[in-house]
Amino acid sequence: MNKSRREFIKLSAIGAGGLVLANPLLNAMIGQVNAAEPMDASKIKRFPTYCEVCFWKCAGWVYTDEKGEIWKIEGNEDDPHSNGRFCPRGTGGIGMYNDPDRLKTPLMRVEENGKQTFKEVSWDKAFRFIAEKMNKIKEESGPESLALFKHGSGGAHFGKLFKAFGSKNITAPSYAQCRGPREVGFNTTFGSNINSPEPVDLENTKCLVLIGNHIGENMHNSHVQEMSKAIDRGATIITVDPRLSTAASKSKYWLPIKPATDIALLLAWMNVIVSEELYDKNYIGQYAYGLEDLQAHVADKTPEWAEKITTISADVIRQTAREMAFHAPATLIHPGRHVTWYGDDTQRLRAMAMLNALLGSWGRKGGFYFPEKAKVPTYPHPGYPPVNWTWKDHLDGTYALADSSIANVFVDMSHPENESDYKIKGWFVVGTNLISTIPNTQRTLEAIQNLDLLVVVDTMPMEITGYADIILPECTYLERYDDMRVSPNRFPNVAVRVPAVKPKYLSKPSDWIVRKLAKKLKLSKHFNYESYSEVIDWQLKQMGSSLAEMKEKGVLKMERKTPMFIEEGDYHEFGTSTGMIELYSLDLEMEGFDPIPNYTPHPEPPQGFYRLNYGRAPMHTFGRTANNPNLNELMSENCLWVNPFVAADNNLENGQEVWLKNQDGVVSDFPIKVRITERIGKDNVYMVHGFGRANKKLKRSFGRGISDTQLVTNVMVDPIMGGTGMRGNFVSFVTDKPESEVIS
Amino acid sequence: MRYAMVIDTKKCVGCSDCVVACQNENRVPIGYCRDWVIENAKGTFPNVSIELRSERCNHCENSPCVRCCPTGASHYEEGGVVKVTRHECIGCGACVQSCPYDARYSHPDGFVDKCTFCHHRLQEGKLPSCVSVCPTECMYFGDLDDKESKVYQLLQNRDWKVLAPEVGTKPHVYYLI
Ligand code: SF4
Ligand code: SF4
Ligand code: SF4
């Protein structure tokens, strides 16, 4: 991309500039009080919140000290997401507030001396600019040409603004880049989505099966807690992972599978369970549709067949299948979360759902429970205007089974090559760094160049902020009210978020930003309140509580109305078209896909290349926390896990910096340090996602480690729901500094 | 009374929550820590195992740090908690050198600091911060003189170890293995 209209502006051009290397002594001066003396307990206050450092949304308490500054954040004991214990990121959420690199004022892209730069502007000027552009787009091509990419609670406020403005083109990368395939895989089997948090009864499970799911490295808080209790109880854990993950290290069986062959293993497990008649006969007899088809389908998918594909011995396959059956129905094949791997992910997740079905674990203790969600009344507002089209019209029936919008399709609709009638001209990007969430960065950047408006709302400078026309600084969750947390769980509950401190700098809560912008757009009638606390208080009063009461409690628990599990003697109706558990999927058949999953071989790394795998670290949430002073200190960069044989073959030493080059010739912007470890096999390398930040304004994380997303240029799209499979990329090592131009 | 911490390495996931919680609770400046997490891997792929454990001051019964402190700032509290009285500490660092576990650091405000077993919380009847935050509940805290206590029971019923027993410090942080 040369001389583009929307150059990436190095944010260091404004503000302090200069790269400060992580230095504990320098960091020590940030925000944290070095108070040696005990605090005056009478001055300590606490405020309820729910955490926004990840999507688990744990409820807890923010404590402020005698100066009114945040002292610590702890879990709320009544909260089923945290049970009184926050994860390291939630505990370190204080660093989001204290981070001196936060976005501080609205910034506008201007041209000065032939060079683009960001200039500080007032909120009013920012709103006038945005409203003008929005109205222009509306006049020229209709309000639907504005799209919203969102993540987190801030995004919800913007969703309302979009609907009031006349666009339902709203999306979140958490579907097609993450959990979408499992929703479709389970929905086509049980007629129910998984949603968040996953309704898995880890608390009572006797056998937990993890397919590439690294609980403990992903800190899905209550699940980590429950897995630990399962370990205490002596539950069997079976982990399938090419790497000795933390969970694998705690498992009775670790199956170091050859990457990309999971479906073969799942089919062989079903072969054993069906051919040895180990399945739950009553449950299957009563509820399942298509057992004979499945029997015929897996008849030749023997453990011996799978051993050749997966490298897992036939004996181990039989043994683990029998162990699962032994503990059934308290056997849980965990659906996982980030499952967009190879493009046939919906089918893999369906195979996992079917295995759960054979073991009778859906709706059973130790398997999956039926969650319940609190009903919260909507704050009264006038109806939203009708829209003329949405992203669905653009897709015209493709990905019909996707039950949520597909972020990468929005990129397609914004791209100059889009020839359909449905064109997107402007983006709001709220709380999501699209550059590192949507694969194929180049294409995203081409789409960005084609936009008439790009508004970015965030707490921190990210790569995406560098491409914005206008940047709006959102305050952190610790400084604002938001919608109540209403998540399905074992019992219905809501949690409130109340500001513990005032917004720092000129940052503002999203609800304020939306209200002010709505005024400029003459849409104020939709936002009929002065502070968001009024909305929450009104809702709580309808529910028989109040904001005042919730400031004391934080979490409101309610009674269940329906049974948590299928009860003995009860008949359960499933949400599929047959009303039964579909081992043979009629929906998939109708859409022209395999009604029962098949194993298809995937490409293997060419000579000298290794499959690039990536995952999570417990102290970070993607790139969001890389610059957080408290969490950066725990892990300031990712490293590249390499098997000792691979290291020897490539003359690599522990700690050596290498660049990576992928199969398409893309070289990483930054180097990464090699970590030679026996925890990984010879055909793949591994790194934690979220590092290699390319925005210089992120002083602690700029250029530390590398971004896996940058190397994911081969995207295997799931034909069923449009998910972007990202694990078919292969890398080789570059040991000398490449000459290619680095962004910053 | 003899306070002890018992940490189950079979449950620890190495998340470092114990580190962050301690830093907040005790206002440990960023860049320093009173506790930290270690990963030890053994074997060759695919026959590998790892041990994860959270380490801190061992509140040794026979503490080289208390013995070598020239001012008496390093001392024992009730229950065997090893503490530093800040205003008596001259920051000479003798204790930092003598600790075989590297558990002490020189605080930028001029004194030596380390884990206190959250003595201030114990006095309020609360558990140490790291123990109460740990998502896996792999840490237990209590009185080893009390045979009913969970810590006593665990040491009776499980295999355990202490760190560097050969140096004779008699640590009071135990690891279940
Ligand atoms: S899991 Fe951790 S980061 Fe996520 S919401 Fe809970 S405490 Fe916050
Ligand atoms: S908080 Fe608990 S699980 Fe996490 S590292 Fe510390 S001891 Fe281990
Ligand atoms: S007991 Fe208290 S001072 Fe010691 S490591 Fe744990 S939190 Fe820190």
PDB file of all heavy atoms in Angstrom, chain A residues 155 198 216 235 244 380 445 451 521 564 602 645 695 721:
ATOM      1  N   GLY A 155     -19.588  -1.607  23.516  1.00  0.00           N
ATOM      2  CA  GLY A 155     -20.190  -1.827  22.205  1.00  0.00           C
ATOM      3  C   GLY A 155     -21.702  -1.859  22.248  1.00  0.00           C
ATOM      4  O   GLY A 155     -22.369  -1.457  21.290  1.00  0.00           O
ATOM      5  N   GLU A 198     -20.156 -21.284  28.988  1.00  0.00           N
ATOM      6  CA  GLU A 198     -20.583 -22.595  28.526  1.00  0.00           C
ATOM      7  C   GLU A 198     -21.281 -23.346  29.670  1.00  0.00           C
ATOM      8  O   GLU A 198     -20.743 -23.406  30.782  1.00  0.00           O
ATOM      9  CB  GLU A 198     -19.367 -23.410  28.062  1.00  0.00           C
ATOM     10  CG  GLU A 198     -18.630 -22.848  26.856  1.00  0.00           C
ATOM     11  CD  GLU A 198     -17.667 -21.709  27.174  1.00  0.00           C
ATOM     12  OE1 GLU A 198     -17.545 -21.339  28.354  1.00  0.00           O
ATOM     13  OE2 GLU A 198     -17.042 -21.189  26.230  1.00  0.00           O
ATOM     14  N   GLY A 216      -7.001 -23.286  32.019  1.00  0.00           N
ATOM     15  CA  GLY A 216      -5.846 -23.069  32.903  1.00  0.00           C
ATOM     16  C   GLY A 216      -4.866 -22.136  32.225  1.00  0.00           C
ATOM     17  O   GLY A 216      -4.206 -21.334  32.879  1.00  0.00           O
ATOM     18  N   ALA A 235     -11.278 -36.923  39.314  1.00  0.00           N
ATOM     19  CA  ALA A 235     -11.919 -37.153  38.017  1.00  0.00           C
ATOM     20  C   ALA A 235     -10.854 -37.452  36.956  1.00  0.00           C
ATOM     21  O   ALA A 235      -9.730 -36.973  37.045  1.00  0.00           O
ATOM     22  CB  ALA A 235     -12.727 -35.917  37.618  1.00  0.00           C
ATOM     23  N   LEU A 244       2.044 -30.293  25.349  1.00  0.00           N
ATOM     24  CA  LEU A 244       1.718 -30.581  26.743  1.00  0.00           C
ATOM     25  C   LEU A 244       1.247 -29.271  27.367  1.00  0.00           C
ATOM     26  O   LEU A 244       2.036 -28.507  27.914  1.00  0.00           O
ATOM     27  CB  LEU A 244       2.919 -31.149  27.514  1.00  0.00           C
ATOM     28  CG  LEU A 244       2.557 -31.546  28.955  1.00  0.00           C
ATOM     29  CD1 LEU A 244       2.051 -32.980  29.032  1.00  0.00           C
ATOM     30  CD2 LEU A 244       3.730 -31.359  29.914  1.00  0.00           C
ATOM     31  N   PRO A 380     -37.712   1.969  28.482  1.00  0.00           N
ATOM     32  CA  PRO A 380     -38.588   2.416  27.393  1.00  0.00           C
ATOM     33  C   PRO A 380     -37.909   3.406  26.438  1.00  0.00           C
ATOM     34  O   PRO A 380     -37.208   4.316  26.887  1.00  0.00           O
ATOM     35  CB  PRO A 380     -39.742   3.112  28.136  1.00  0.00           C
ATOM     36  CG  PRO A 380     -39.525   2.903  29.586  1.00  0.00           C
ATOM     37  CD  PRO A 380     -38.195   2.317  29.822  1.00  0.00           C
ATOM     38  N   LEU A 445      -6.910  -4.071   5.609  1.00  0.00           N
ATOM     39  CA  LEU A 445      -6.363  -2.738   5.337  1.00  0.00           C
ATOM     40  C   LEU A 445      -6.885  -2.191   4.010  1.00  0.00           C
ATOM     41  O   LEU A 445      -7.167  -0.993   3.891  1.00  0.00           O
ATOM     42  CB  LEU A 445      -4.829  -2.784   5.319  1.00  0.00           C
ATOM     43  CG  LEU A 445      -4.178  -3.075   6.681  1.00  0.00           C
ATOM     44  CD1 LEU A 445      -2.664  -3.101   6.565  1.00  0.00           C
ATOM     45  CD2 LEU A 445      -4.607  -2.056   7.730  1.00  0.00           C
ATOM     46  N   LEU A 451     -12.894   3.209   2.911  1.00  0.00           N
ATOM     47  CA  LEU A 451     -13.974   3.750   3.738  1.00  0.00           C
ATOM     48  C   LEU A 451     -14.063   5.272   3.660  1.00  0.00           C
ATOM     49  O   LEU A 451     -13.053   5.946   3.465  1.00  0.00           O
ATOM     50  CB  LEU A 451     -13.759   3.366   5.202  1.00  0.00           C
ATOM     51  CG  LEU A 451     -13.817   1.889   5.554  1.00  0.00           C
ATOM     52  CD1 LEU A 451     -13.422   1.693   7.019  1.00  0.00           C
ATOM     53  CD2 LEU A 451     -15.202   1.310   5.286  1.00  0.00           C
ATOM     54  N   LEU A 521     -27.076  13.931  16.102  1.00  0.00           N
ATOM     55  CA  LEU A 521     -27.774  13.244  15.007  1.00  0.00           C
ATOM     56  C   LEU A 521     -29.292  13.412  15.134  1.00  0.00           C
ATOM     57  O   LEU A 521     -30.051  12.804  14.402  1.00  0.00           O
ATOM     58  CB  LEU A 521     -27.414  11.753  15.015  1.00  0.00           C
ATOM     59  CG  LEU A 521     -25.957  11.401  14.663  1.00  0.00           C
ATOM     60  CD1 LEU A 521     -25.642   9.965  15.066  1.00  0.00           C
ATOM     61  CD2 LEU A 521     -25.697  11.591  13.177  1.00  0.00           C
ATOM     62  N   MET A 564     -32.748 -28.191  36.152  1.00  0.00           N
ATOM     63  CA  MET A 564     -31.402 -27.959  35.627  1.00  0.00           C
ATOM     64  C   MET A 564     -30.956 -29.106  34.720  1.00  0.00           C
ATOM     65  O   MET A 564     -30.114 -28.949  33.850  1.00  0.00           O
ATOM     66  CB  MET A 564     -30.423 -27.802  36.790  1.00  0.00           C
ATOM     67  CG  MET A 564     -29.107 -27.298  36.330  1.00  0.00           C
ATOM     68  SD  MET A 564     -28.037 -26.443  37.507  1.00  0.00           S
ATOM     69  CE  MET A 564     -28.610 -26.735  39.095  1.00  0.00           C
ATOM     70  N   HIS A 602      -5.864 -32.646   5.867  1.00  0.00           N
ATOM     71  CA  HIS A 602      -5.497 -31.247   5.642  1.00  0.00           C
ATOM     72  C   HIS A 602      -4.040 -31.185   5.210  1.00  0.00           C
ATOM     73  O   HIS A 602      -3.263 -32.081   5.528  1.00  0.00           O
ATOM     74  CB  HIS A 602      -5.696 -30.445   6.927  1.00  0.00           C
ATOM     75  CG  HIS A 602      -7.144 -30.280   7.277  1.00  0.00           C
ATOM     76  ND1 HIS A 602      -7.965 -29.429   6.593  1.00  0.00           N
ATOM     77  CD2 HIS A 602      -7.916 -30.888   8.210  1.00  0.00           C
ATOM     78  CE1 HIS A 602      -9.189 -29.504   7.095  1.00  0.00           C
ATOM     79  NE2 HIS A 602      -9.189 -30.387   8.077  1.00  0.00           N
ATOM     80  N   PHE A 645      14.627 -31.183  18.886  1.00  0.00           N
ATOM     81  CA  PHE A 645      15.103 -31.686  17.592  1.00  0.00           C
ATOM     82  C   PHE A 645      14.982 -30.624  16.506  1.00  0.00           C
ATOM     83  O   PHE A 645      15.867 -30.460  15.681  1.00  0.00           O
ATOM     84  CB  PHE A 645      14.312 -32.937  17.173  1.00  0.00           C
ATOM     85  CG  PHE A 645      14.720 -34.162  17.933  1.00  0.00           C
ATOM     86  CD1 PHE A 645      13.990 -34.584  19.040  1.00  0.00           C
ATOM     87  CD2 PHE A 645      15.848 -34.895  17.549  1.00  0.00           C
ATOM     88  CE1 PHE A 645      14.371 -35.701  19.759  1.00  0.00           C
ATOM     89  CE2 PHE A 645      16.235 -36.014  18.257  1.00  0.00           C
ATOM     90  CZ  PHE A 645      15.495 -36.425  19.373  1.00  0.00           C
ATOM     91  N   ASN A 695       1.952  -0.676  17.507  1.00  0.00           N
ATOM     92  CA  ASN A 695       1.673   0.734  17.746  1.00  0.00           C
ATOM     93  C   ASN A 695       2.651   1.258  18.791  1.00  0.00           C
ATOM     94  O   ASN A 695       2.632   0.837  19.952  1.00  0.00           O
ATOM     95  CB  ASN A 695       0.230   0.912  18.226  1.00  0.00           C
ATOM     96  CG  ASN A 695      -0.188   2.366  18.194  1.00  0.00           C
ATOM     97  OD1 ASN A 695       0.621   3.257  18.428  1.00  0.00           O
ATOM     98  ND2 ASN A 695      -1.452   2.606  17.892  1.00  0.00           N
ATOM     99  N   MET A 721     -20.652 -22.079   8.166  1.00  0.00           N
ATOM    100  CA  MET A 721     -21.036 -20.848   8.871  1.00  0.00           C
ATOM    101  C   MET A 721     -20.066 -19.668   8.672  1.00  0.00           C
ATOM    102  O   MET A 721     -20.215 -18.650   9.325  1.00  0.00           O
ATOM    103  CB  MET A 721     -21.277 -21.103  10.368  1.00  0.00           C
ATOM    104  CG  MET A 721     -20.221 -21.851  11.151  1.00  0.00           C
ATOM    105  SD  MET A 721     -18.583 -21.092  11.177  1.00  0.00           S
ATOM    106  CE  MET A 721     -18.942 -19.684  12.214  1.00  0.00           C
TER     107      MET A 721
END
